[in-house]
Amino acid sequence: MRHPERRLLISVDMERYSRRGNVQQYEAQRHFRELLHEAAEAVGLDRVAWTTQQAGDGELAIVPREVSESRVIGRFVPELNRRLRHHNSSRLPAAKIRLRVAVHQGLVHLDGANGFPGNAVVFVCRLCEAAPVKQALAAFPDAGVALVVSTEIFRDVVTEYPEEMRPERFVRIEVAHPDKEFREDAWLCVVDEDINGTTIPVVPSPTEHGPGQTAESPTDHGGIRTGDIRVKGQNAIGPGATAIGSVGRDGNFGTGRGDPR
């Protein structure tokens, strides 16, 4: 057994795949792979170098170490969404391809006997299967991609590159699979859509109570919120929080300066 490697993981799943007939599934698989390869090539990524585990309605991809997270999230995913929208514009609803895309990072064994062992792999697949992600994509019939990222990816990548990532378009959700004893927070957006104000269930802030709340962006109430910490201007609000400078540039969240906890 080789040592696990820390990699960026992408889980992709096709909407309504099982409702298609045999020929429609065959065509959907072909277009799915073509669109992924074309989107990657358009932004300078070589998908041939990606380690993938295929499924009929999607795939799990383990990205090479040298590929930056910002290129995947900030360029590849929007390009994929653009191509999906174009592809779907001339097709009947039953033939459209719409995707849920989940991104996470963590340790993974690349030499598994029947796949890729690692909790990070389980985690990213759970994100992709989350009910709020499915609901978000269903709420926007013209959208191509619903993107969900782990809290770590949102904190370390999305908020660090606000010009590319549009963190204000993300909302914090709870991913819950009670039958699998899985419950984690994540961040969700529908690419090129504004999901704020929809009925997608989100994780409420400490001042919000009651069911039926609408989606709230990380910049609602004038700031970005990560966990229990909300940044407004140059101030961080939350247990043991400090912030210096502009949001997404010099923010420091923790019990003291330099402490990232």
Side-chain angles (χ1 to χ4, degrees):
M1 181 177 65
R2 291 163 45 189
H3 289 293
E5 298 183 17
R6 184 168 295 277
R7 295 290 190 90
L8 187 70
L9 307 172
I10 307 172
S11 179
V12 184
D13 200 25
M14 199 183 312
E15 182 188 56
R16 297 177 178 269
Y17 178 81
S18 62
R19 301 185 185 184
R20 305 169 195 252
N22 289 0
V23 175
Q24 289 178 322
Q25 289 185 8
Y26 185 94
E27 290 297 317
Q29 287 188 19
R30 180 171 63 86
H31 291 306
F32 170 79
R33 288 183 59 82
E34 289 175 352
L35 289 162
L36 286 173
H37 281 286
E38 291 169 359
E41 184 178 8
V43 300
L45 295 175
D46 180 14
R47 261 182 53 86
V48 175
W50 294 15
T51 302
T52 60
Q53 180 174 297
Q54 301 297 326
D57 57 350
E59 74 169 28
L60 168 69
I62 301 173
V63 181
R65 284 188 294 267
E66 61 270 17
V67 175
S68 71
E69 297 96 331
S70 61
R71 181 175 290 270
V72 170
I73 300 172
R75 298 191 61 190
F76 169 67
V77 172
E79 178 65 20
L80 177 60
N81 175 72
R82 186 185 71 79
R83 290 175 180 271
L84 285 165
R85 284 177 183 261
H86 177 73
H87 174 86
N88 293 336
S89 63
S90 59
R91 285 171 170 79
L92 295 173
K96 292 183 178 182
I97 298 176
R98 286 156 37 89
L99 303 176
R100 301 188 305 277
V101 178
V103 181
H104 181 46
Q105 62 82 30
L107 294 175
V108 56
H109 288 274
L110 300 179
D111 59 343
N114 192 37
F116 306 110
N119 286 328
V121 172
V122 175
F123 193 103
V124 75
C125 292
R126 296 285 185 264
L127 295 187
C128 199
E129 297 166 358
V133 185
K134 295 178 181 179
Q135 294 167 8
L137 188 57
F140 296 92
D142 295 327
V145 174
L147 171 66
V148 58
V149 302
S150 64
T151 299
E152 294 83 357
I153 292 293
F154 181 80
R155 179 193 63 217
D156 297 340
V157 181
V158 175
T159 61
E160 287 296 322
Y161 301 92
E163 298 86 357
E164 294 182 61
M165 308 295 177
R166 303 291 299 274
E168 73 278 4
R169 290 292 180 93
F170 285 76
V171 296
R172 186 159 59 117
I173 62 170
E174 182 182 66
V175 177
H177 298 281
D179 57 324
K180 299 171 182 175
E181 299 183 348
F182 183 95
R183 191 178 299 273
E184 296 284 347
D185 286 356
W187 290 84
L188 168 68
C189 77
V190 177
V191 181
D192 287 339
E193 301 286 356
D194 185 0
I195 66 176
N196 298 293
T198 66
T199 57
I200 299 164
V202 301
V203 176
S205 71
T207 59
E208 295 171 324
H209 302 282
Q213 294 155 354
T214 58
E216 178 180 338
S217 76
T219 52
D220 281 350
H221 307 303
I224 288 177
R225 183 165 55 253
T226 301
D228 294 328
I229 298 170
R230 176 163 56 86
V231 177
K232 183 175 183 180
Q234 296 184 345
N235 301 311
I237 304 168
T242 63
I244 305 169
S246 60
V247 172
R249 293 299 185 189
D250 302 309
N252 175 26
F253 307 103
T255 55
R257 294 182 188 275
D259 185 349
R261 290 179 296 168

